[in-house]
C-alpha cells in the first residue's frame, strides 16, 4: 500500500525502495506518539502541520497552547478516505462531488460535527475536514485509524511556514516528535482552499 501511495504522490519519480522503508519507519514512530496523546510535526498535502489525535481533548488543548491560539478558533481535521467523513459530520450531497473534482487540496466545513474532541468543534457545531492524498499523512492516517488534527506550524498571528526550513525552533522544540520525511523539500507550499457547506445545499467559499 505505501508503495502505491509514494508512486501516486511522486508521479515522475523512479521508485525508491529506501523511501518506502523510511516512510514506514516514520509512520510507525509517529503513530506510537499519537497513541500516547502526543503531538507531532508532520508533512501534509499542503504546508507542514502540527497534529494530534483529533478525538483526544487534552492533546488538542496542548496544540492550542503551543500556538497561543484561542480555543474558539477551530482547527481542521485530516482523513485518508472520503467514506469516513460521515462518522464525524453530516455530509451534504454536493460534498463528495467537490472532493472528486477539486484539483488542489480542499478543506470542507461540514455541519453537525461529532465523535471528535469537543474543543475541536466550532461553536456552530461545524468542523473542517480535508481528505489527504499526500504520501506520509495518508499512510499515517491509514495506520492510526483515527482522524488527525492539522494546523499550520506557527504561533498564531505569525506567517505560516512555506516549507520545513521556515518552521521556528520554538515550534520544533514544543512538539513530541518531528517526522523525518520530506524535510529537505524547498518548494513553497500553500494552505488549502476552504469551502463551507450547509445541509440546505448552500456553498460559501472562505478561501480560494
Amino acid at each position: 500500500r505505501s508503495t502505491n501511495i509514494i508512486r501516486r504522490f511522486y508521479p515522475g519519480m523512479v521508485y525508491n525502495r529506501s523511501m518506502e522503508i523510511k516512510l514506514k519507519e516514520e509512520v510507525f514512530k509517529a503513530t506510537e506518539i499519537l497513541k500516547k496523546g502526543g503531538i507531532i510535526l508532520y508533512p501534509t498535502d499542503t504546508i507542514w502541520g502540527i497534529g494530534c489525535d483529533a478525538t483526544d481533548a487534552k492533546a488538542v488543548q496542548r496544540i492550542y497552547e503551543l500556538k497561543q491560539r484561542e480555543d474558539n478558533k477551530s482547527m481542521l481535521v485530516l482523513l485518508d478516505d472520503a467514506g469516513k467523513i460521515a462518522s464525524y459530520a453530516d455530509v451534504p450531497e454536493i460534498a463528495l462531488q467537490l472532493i472528486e473534482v477539486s484539483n488542489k487540496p480542499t478543506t470542507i466545513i461540514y455541519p453537525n460535527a461529532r465523535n471528535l474532541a469537543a474543543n475541536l468543534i466550532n461553536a456552530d457545531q461545524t468542523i473542517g475536514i480535508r481528505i489527504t492524498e499526500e504520501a506520509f499523512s495518508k499512510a499515517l492516517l491509514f495506520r492510526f485509524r483515527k482522524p488527525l488534527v492539522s494546523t499550520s506550524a506557527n504561533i498564531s498571528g505569525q506567517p505560516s511556514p512555506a516549507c520545513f526550513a521556515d518552521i521556528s525552533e520554538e515550534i520544533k522544540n514544543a512538539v513530541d516528535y518531528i517526522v523525518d520525511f520530506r524535510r529537505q523539500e524547498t518548494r513553497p507550499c500553500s494552505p488549502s482552499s476552504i469551502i463551507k457547506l450547509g445541509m440546505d445545499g448552500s456553498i460559501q467559499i472562505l478561501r480560494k
Side-chain angles (χ1 to χ4, degrees), residues 26-91:
E26 290 302 306
V27 164
F28 176 80
K29 292 175 183 177
T31 299
E32 293 307 298
I33 296 295
L34 293 168
K35 286 179 178 178
K36 297 174 183 176
I39 58 178
I40 63 172
L41 184 58
Y42 70 116
T44 75
D45 52 337
T46 59
I47 57 180
W48 274 70
I50 303 170
C52 71
D53 178 350
T55 69
D56 185 334
K58 289 184 179 179
V60 170
Q61 184 59 36
R62 284 188 61 199
I63 294 182
Y64 282 126
E65 293 171 358
L66 187 165
K67 287 178 65 73
Q68 300 171 30
R69 179 174 178 167
E70 298 175 7
D71 60 10
N72 62 353
K73 295 183 178 179
S74 180
M75 298 179 287
L76 67 89
V77 168
L78 285 186
L79 289 172
D80 61 327
D81 190 319
K84 298 178 180 179
I85 300 172
S87 295
Y88 303 102
D90 288 353
V91 186

Side-chain angles (χ1 to χ4, degrees), residues 5-17:
I5 293 173
I6 292 172
R7 285 174 171 165
R8 184 165 64 247
F9 188 69
Y10 302 100
M13 188 174 207
V14 175
Y15 171 60
N16 188 328
R17 172 68 176 169

Side-chain angles (χ1 to χ4, degrees), residues 27-177:
V27 164
F28 176 80
K29 292 175 183 177
T31 299
E32 293 307 298
I33 296 295
L34 293 168
K35 286 179 178 178
K36 297 174 183 176
I39 58 178
I40 63 172
L41 184 58
Y42 70 116
T44 75
D45 52 337
T46 59
I47 57 180
W48 274 70
I50 303 170
C52 71
D53 178 350
T55 69
D56 185 334
K58 289 184 179 179
V60 170
Q61 184 59 36
R62 284 188 61 199
I63 294 182
Y64 282 126
E65 293 171 358
L66 187 165
K67 287 178 65 73
Q68 300 171 30
R69 179 174 178 167
E70 298 175 7
D71 60 10
N72 62 353
K73 295 183 178 179
S74 180
M75 298 179 287
L76 67 89
V77 168
L78 285 186
L79 289 172
D80 61 327
D81 190 319
K84 298 178 180 179
I85 300 172
S87 295
Y88 303 102
D90 288 353
V91 186
E93 188 174 337
I94 195 172
L96 299 182
Q97 297 174 36
L98 288 173
I99 293 170
E100 187 174 338
V101 302
S102 294
N103 57 10
K104 63 173 291 187
T106 300
T107 299
I108 296 178
I109 300 177
Y110 297 89
N112 299 320
R114 53 184 171 270
N115 299 325
L116 297 166
N119 54 348
L120 188 59
I121 298 171
N122 286 305
D124 62 358
Q125 295 302 300
T126 60
I127 188 68
I129 297 175
R130 189 169 73 248
I131 306 304
T132 180
E133 293 297 337
E134 183 268 336
F136 179 82
S137 53
K138 194 172 185 73
L140 177 60
L141 282 156
F142 180 77
R143 182 180 179 91
F144 187 52
R145 300 190 181 282
K146 290 183 182 181
L148 292 178
V149 167
S150 179
T151 184
S152 56
N154 62 296
I155 302 300
S156 186
Q158 296 180 359
S160 299
C163 60
F164 180 78
D166 293 339
I167 300 172
S168 71
E169 291 302 312
E170 183 177 4
I171 293 292
K172 293 176 182 176
N173 292 334
V175 300
D176 298 308
Y177 188 69

